[in-house]
Amino acid sequence: MTDSAYIQSGRAAQETEGDERTLPKPANSVQLSIEGMTCASCVSTVERALSAVPGVQTASVNFAAEQAAVQLDPATPVSALIAAVDSAGYTAGNMTDGQDGQSDQESHERRYKELMRKFWFAAGVSLPVIYFSYPQIFPGVPAMGSAALDLIWGGMAVLTFAVMVWSGSHFFTGAWAAFKHRSANMNTLIAIGISAAWLYSTVALLFPGFFPEERLRDVFFDVTSVVTAFVVLGSALEIRARARTSEALKKLIGLQAKTARVLRDGDETEIPIDQVIVDDVVSVRPGEKIPVDGIVVGGASFVDESMVTGEPIPSEKTEGSSVIGATINTTGAFRFVATRVGRDTMLSQIIGMVRDAQGSKAPIQRTVDKVSGYFVPAVMIGAILTFMAWFTVGPAPAIVYAVITAVTVLVIACPCALGLATPTSLMVGIGKGAENGILIKSGDALETAHRIDTVVLDKTGTVTQGKPQLTDVVVLGEYDEVEVLHLAASAELDSEHPLGEAIVSGARARDIRPTNPSEFRAEPGHGIVATVGARRVVLGNLKFMADQSVHAGLAEAALEKLSDEGKTAMVVGIDGDLAGVVAVADTLKPDSLAAIERMHEMGLQVVMLTGDNQRTAAAIGRQVGIDRVMAEVLPGDKANQIRLLQAEGRVVAMVGDGINDAPALAQADVGMAMGTGTDVAIESGDVTLVKGSLTSVVTAIALSQATIRNVHQNLVGAFAYNALGIPVAAGLLYPFFGVLLSPLIAGAAMAFSSVTVVTNANRLRSWKPPAPLEVRA
Amino acid sequence: MSTVIVNVVGVGLISLIVWYFWMSKPSGTSAGIRSGTQEAYIVVKGGYSPDTIRVKAGMPVKLMFNRQEADPCSETVVFDAFGISAELPEEETVAVEFTPTEAGNFEFSCQMGMLRGTVVVT
């Protein structure tokens, strides 16, 4: 009895159909494997046991599949279900990602070892067979037709038969299984090839009368054993190489913490990770792995989030910061409240998304699939035609040439290279993305991304920080800068306006501590009036100053200059006199300039889309070198602007926050949702950028280009191999140059062509994101 | 004489290959209904048995795959039209669930496209 695994994939399907609608969050569903059920009545026993567990809503057991599907409250631990099944006399197991990866690896390793044993046997038999097959190379072989040689060949016939039925057994079982499904694959070709060579040789040996001419009595036992050895070795190497293609996913799965230290009933207890529930308070010590997602409620530290976001610099965590499960705490200690556990954690979502994406198909593969459906039977037909041609018009001994060329055609054709070309590169490319904080949703998205020629950036939160910051303090009266800022910040201390908050935090950042105003009045859209200590402070626009009898004519030049720079400026008046101007602005993200320059270098046109006024937008656009600014675009109109760009024949990537920009992301050819850490709405775009910087956009596009280039190399290689190899194997060169391809070389070529494809895909593993440009500030 | 025989046999074999692999297709199996879900059990061994599943639109479908071979080719099953894929560990049963909304033929295959099956939605 083996474990049963269960994958709930319905979620993915629903989301594809549901477009942008948010689905109601379902109760947790858990899949258990149930062992020990011997009869149908066991089903109801197990169902009853599961239903009796508090918090279980429904439990349904499938006897044939030996599984139970349980819907339960998120608070109910899976261990309670397992215990309930155990006490009913059966064994239950929970499918977790970790175990899944483990068993995969074990089965690959088992398969590899088995293939290597088969290879060594085939190789061992091949050596003497080759020795006797080539008397022109190896002298001392008894003369053809002698009794001694017949005896030796008899022995070889038996040994190569053993190679065929043991080392090559999977060719025959695989071919037969496929044959029953009216399909054919590589196994079919190899099985027919090696058995045809063996059968012909054995008939030639046992019934020499069939072939009157002595020359016809050539035997090809070497073809059977050597081709088997090569192809088996090739399969073994391919398994090793393919295991490496999914290494990135395995690494992600391996990141999951095993236990968590939670505070329950006042005590700190270490519990398995699957028992952590939402609202548990989790304690994290220095150097420990953060078990689940949550929000810090006490303590402070720096956390290394590189494994999830790709960001190498540890990020600071204080009260209120969100933390991501599987990231590593550095030196501080803190406690946090769990907000997402189990399948809902960011890491689980990333794993799910990477796995789905790696299993998806790129459009290019759909074309290849059509070809590969016809490929193997077509090769079989080709082999028959080759046989007929050589038998009919070929030189004597016609049957020898016919057999050898037909076998060579069967053996050289490599459907595997074609089939592996796209998925292996995709696996590596998508895995590589995940390592760099770039989550690519599907092969479709990856393939489209490499064709992007226009990148549309949402301004706020994408190019800029998305939070206004104090940028300028201009002194225009008798007060110095510190006094102006102190009074302005104190006046704004109680303000809830983002501009006011920016002034307050800007003052604090300059070590100025605002004092509480004794009086505060805001006139929305105009300004504020406050009393700070003995002074009356007025903050607002020019009109507001006039209303408050502050002569602010001198401020006009400064206001003009600051607005030209895209900043929001406010006049400060103290005790009825003009004191200065303070300005706040949404500042650029540190790497925006370098990233946009890199986009230009890649030949991309960069467009900025914003609801801001033309002046502010143009100012930001100038600072970072945007090619085209679309300002004063209403949120609902963003998708339409994308449509207009597409109408110009552009392939458009839209980069936005994934929540407000959802329709625009959906309209774009590739929607890139950008966010920082847990804020990011995974799956809202075709590509999710976890790191929240424009550099990730560059990396994502560069990665898609590298991956698709790799796919093309593989496909061109695989097609060219088959397109050249098969005619040469059929003997097309013979009439012109008198050359025939040896079936042994054909076997080796076929075995290593698929290994080559996988190895080429693995080259992508050493791909590095383009280095950031040095940009003068 | 032998040339004629060889060529006649050759043409015959070619016709057989064309007919067997490309022309005829089996009619498929209808999924059974159990507590509101259309279920079918599919053995993965050199191909999908059965490889044509008939289901109705609008009702959840649950296909349970049991892979009974070590050949890594059949490791992943991909439902391209539904955006679903699943790893099929050897000797384990893995369920793939989705709800088809419209009628049509939807292909599923291994990742390399060598093993194929069809979900016929009516």
Side-chain angles (χ1 to χ4, degrees):
Chain A
M1 184 60 56
T2 56
D3 283 11
S4 296
Y6 218 98
I7 290 178
Q8 182 90 33
S9 299
R11 191 177 55 85
Q14 284 174 353
E15 279 168 8
T16 329
E17 291 151 18
D19 286 332
E20 291 128 33
R21 275 176 297 132
T22 326
L23 293 157
K25 194 173 142 57
N28 277 5
S29 61
V30 171
Q31 311 293 343
L32 298 174
S33 62
I34 309 288
E35 291 176 22
M37 293 189 295
T38 50
C39 56
S41 70
C42 301
V43 171
S44 56
T45 313
V46 175
E47 277 180 357
R48 266 203 309 277
L50 286 170
S51 304
V53 176
V56 170
Q57 294 162 3
T58 61
S60 107
V61 172
N62 185 315
F63 179 59
E66 300 184 307
Q67 286 158 349
V70 186
Q71 299 279 328
L72 72 170
D73 295 339
T76 307
V78 177
S79 53
L81 302 178
I82 295 173
V85 175
D86 280 352
S87 63
Y90 305 91
T91 313
N94 182 18
M95 200 286 282
T96 67
D97 293 320
Q99 290 165 355
D100 199 18
Q102 196 81 40
S103 73
D104 257 14
Q105 213 162 352
E106 279 169 16
S107 100
H108 281 159
E109 202 48 40
R110 248 200 337 270
R111 177 83 180 149
Y112 173 79
K113 287 193 179 132
E114 185 195 337
L115 286 172
M116 285 311 283
R117 278 197 301 276
K118 289 178 163 187
F119 163 71
W120 286 118
F121 178 66
V125 171
S126 295
L127 290 179
V129 174
I130 289 176
Y131 177 76
F132 289 110
S133 298
Y134 296 93
Q136 58 273 48
I137 303 173
F138 304 107
V141 176
M144 185 65 79
S146 69
L149 191 68
D150 279 355
L151 200 65
I152 290 168
W153 277 126
M156 294 300 154
V158 174
L159 278 174
T160 50
F161 183 75
V163 166
M164 202 161 64
V165 298
W166 187 66
S167 296
S169 59
H170 59 284
F171 301 140
F172 293 93
T173 52
W176 176 241
F179 184 78
K180 284 193 294 188
H181 291 95
R182 291 179 177 256
S183 78
N185 53 32
M186 180 201 87
N187 291 326
T188 316
L189 299 177
I190 300 298
I192 298 176
I194 59 175
S195 57
W198 188 86
L199 274 176
Y200 171 83
S201 308
T202 307
V203 171
L205 190 68
L206 294 180
F207 310 104
F210 262 37
F211 308 107
E213 281 181 63
E214 195 181 272
R215 279 186 60 201
L216 293 187
R217 292 192 52 216
D218 257 344
V219 287
F220 309 116
F221 292 116
D222 56 330
V223 174
T224 305
S225 62
V226 175
V227 168
T228 304
F230 275 137
V231 179
V232 169
L233 177 64
S235 308
L237 296 178
E238 187 191 309
I239 284 188
R240 274 281 163 97
R242 282 179 70 181
R244 279 204 296 276
T245 63
S246 56
E247 222 154 63
L249 182 64
K250 288 196 196 106
K251 251 191 248 167
L252 281 175
I253 292 168
L255 285 178
Q256 280 163 329
K258 303 274 178 291
T259 59
R261 219 190 328 277
V262 300
L263 292 167
R264 282 191 183 164
D265 310 322
D267 285 332
E268 219 176 87
T269 40
E270 191 157 333
I271 57 171
I273 186 113
D274 59 354
Q275 292 180 8
V276 180
I277 55 172
V278 170
D279 290 338
D280 262 338
V281 174
V282 184
S283 141
V284 183
R285 293 179 189 165
E288 275 185 349
K289 197 177 262 188
I290 295 162
V292 296
D293 298 354
I295 291 171
V296 176
V297 290
S301 184
F302 282 86
V303 172
D304 176 5
E305 296 183 334
S306 58
M307 57 295 287
V308 176
T309 64
E311 177 58 58
I313 302 159
S315 104
E316 188 178 5
K317 302 292 173 188
T318 52
E319 214 173 304
S321 309
S322 49
V323 289
I324 309 172
T327 57
I328 292 173
N329 182 23
T330 57
T331 48
F334 61 91
R335 289 185 314 282
F336 72 94
V337 170
T339 52
R340 291 193 294 192
V341 301
R343 280 188 188 179
D344 299 328
T345 61
M346 176 137 169
L347 181 69
S348 299
Q349 290 186 54
I350 291 177
I351 291 170
M353 188 167 169
V354 170
R355 177 175 285 163
D356 284 352
Q358 288 187 332
S360 72
K361 284 188 179 177
I364 196 168
Q365 198 190 344
R366 295 185 193 125
T367 320
V368 179
D369 279 357
K370 285 200 188 86
V371 177
S372 62
Y374 292 96
F375 185 79
V376 174
V379 170
M380 286 154 69
I381 291 171
I384 293 170
L385 289 173
T386 304
F387 188 97
M388 286 157 65
W390 279 93
F391 195 83
T392 310
V393 296
I399 184 150
V400 172
Y401 281 114
V403 166
I404 214 75
T405 48
V407 166
T408 311
V409 167
L410 289 172
V411 166
I412 202 165
C414 188
C416 283
L418 276 180
L420 286 168
T422 321
T424 45
S425 303
L426 222 58
M427 292 269 277
V428 181
I430 288 170
K432 198 75 207 171
E435 280 175 21
N436 288 286
I438 293 159
L439 308 175
I440 299 162
K441 199 176 196 171
S442 65
D444 251 319
L446 185 82
E447 192 174 327
T448 315
H450 100 284
R451 291 189 290 116
I452 289 170
D453 56 23
T454 304
V455 179
V456 179
L457 306 170
D458 178 51
K459 193 203 82 170
T460 312
T462 304
V463 180
T464 64
Q465 305 274 14
K467 263 191 295 190
Q469 281 182 333
L470 179 70
T471 53
D472 298 82
V473 181
V474 182
V475 176
L476 293 169
E478 57 195 77
Y479 301 93
D480 69 14
E481 195 178 317
V482 173
E483 276 171 308
V484 170
L485 191 51
H486 173 253
L487 290 171
S490 303
E492 292 278 12
L493 197 57
D494 291 339
S495 161
E496 278 166 6
H497 196 278
L499 296 180
E501 285 172 5
I503 294 172
V504 173
S505 53
R508 286 197 171 122
R510 288 164 174 76
D511 281 333
I512 295 168
R513 295 176 59 185
T515 45
N516 273 319
S518 54
E519 211 183 302
F520 174 81
R521 182 169 57 85
E523 283 202 16
H526 299 285
I528 60 157
V529 183
T531 310
V532 180
R535 300 192 193 282
R536 186 165 173 278
V537 184
V538 186
L539 245 96
N541 55 23
L542 280 177
K543 187 175 166 292
F544 190 62
M545 291 298 130
D547 292 349
Q548 299 294 324
S549 322
V550 175
H551 297 288
L554 275 177
E556 265 176 50
L559 288 175
E560 182 78 11
K561 177 176 168 282
L562 291 167
S563 332
D564 271 347
E565 290 168 11
K567 294 167 183 168
T568 308
M570 283 158 286
V571 183
V572 184
I574 299 171
D575 289 339
D577 294 328
L578 173 67
V581 173
V582 289
V584 300
D586 190 3
T587 51
L588 293 175
K589 288 190 180 179
D591 63 344
S592 290
L593 184 57
I596 290 169
E597 199 140 308
R598 178 64 88 178
M599 288 177 201
H600 285 141
E601 207 166 76
M602 291 165 85
L604 302 167
Q605 183 166 68
V606 186
V607 179
M608 188 173 79
L609 204 58
T610 175
D612 275 359
N613 63 57
Q614 197 71 46
R615 201 173 189 180
T616 313
I620 296 277
R622 267 197 309 278
Q623 284 175 46
V624 289
I626 300 273
D627 300 307
R628 192 157 152 186
V629 175
M630 295 174 154
E632 292 165 44
V633 179
L634 296 173
D637 201 35
K638 284 184 179 172
N640 207 27
Q641 296 294 332
I642 304 277
R643 207 169 293 130
L644 292 177
L645 285 169
Q646 287 168 325
E648 292 174 20
R650 298 170 180 280
V651 182
V652 179
M654 166 77 200
V655 187
D657 64 9
I659 299 154
N660 305 316
D661 303 327
L665 292 186
Q667 173 63 38
D669 297 285
V670 178
M672 298 194 181
M674 190 151 118
T676 313
T678 46
D679 301 337
V680 69
I682 292 184
E683 295 201 358
S684 56
D686 301 311
V687 176
T688 305
L689 309 171
V690 186
K691 210 192 291 184
S693 79
L694 281 185
T695 308
S696 307
V697 177
V698 174
T699 310
I701 297 174
L703 175 67
S704 77
Q705 289 172 347
T707 308
I708 298 299
R709 196 159 51 237
N710 195 274
V711 168
H712 286 163
Q713 287 163 355
N714 276 348
L715 282 178
V716 168
F719 269 109
Y721 166 81
N722 281 301
L724 294 175
I726 294 173
V728 170
L732 206 66
L733 296 183
Y734 188 82
F736 309 105
F737 307 104
V739 216
L740 262 189
L741 190 65
S742 152
L744 304 191
I745 293 171
M750 133 78 190
F752 294 102
S753 65
S754 52
V755 179
T756 308
V757 162
V758 182
T759 308
N760 186 46
N762 271 323
R763 275 193 323 119
L764 269 180
R765 295 197 318 138
S766 60
W767 182 85
K768 295 248 182 322
L773 283 178
E774 290 292 327
V775 182
R776 66 247 158 249
Chain B
M1 183 61 200
S2 60
T3 312
V4 175
I5 295 173
V6 162
N7 283 310
V8 168
V9 171
V11 171
L13 277 175
I14 290 172
S15 321
L16 268 178
I17 289 171
V18 170
W19 169 76
Y20 188 79
F21 291 107
W22 293 334
M23 306 290 278
S24 70
K25 276 287 159 200
S27 63
T29 313
S30 291
I33 297 174
R34 187 174 183 277
S35 51
T37 303
Q38 311 179 74
E39 295 188 349
Y41 195 74
I42 299 169
V43 172
V44 183
K45 194 179 180 187
Y48 302 108
S49 316
D51 60 2
T52 306
I53 319 290
R54 301 183 161 277
V55 299
K56 290 185 183 63
M59 194 193 282
V61 174
K62 180 160 153 187
L63 301 178
M64 284 163 287
F65 287 87
N66 191 295
R67 177 163 156 249
Q68 300 179 351
E69 63 182 353
D71 189 345
C73 291
S74 54
E75 227 166 38
T76 309
V77 63
V78 183
F79 288 73
D80 201 23
F82 299 103
I84 299 175
S85 69
E87 294 284 314
L88 308 177
E90 208 182 324
E91 303 292 335
E92 290 183 16
T93 303
V94 174
V96 172
E97 297 181 54
F98 56 91
T99 305
T101 50
E102 51 192 273
N105 288 0
F106 300 98
E107 197 171 74
F108 58 95
S109 67
C110 70
Q111 209 173 20
M112 291 163 49
M114 299 301 295
L115 279 54
R116 288 158 197 254
T118 312
V119 177
V120 180
V121 182
T122 49

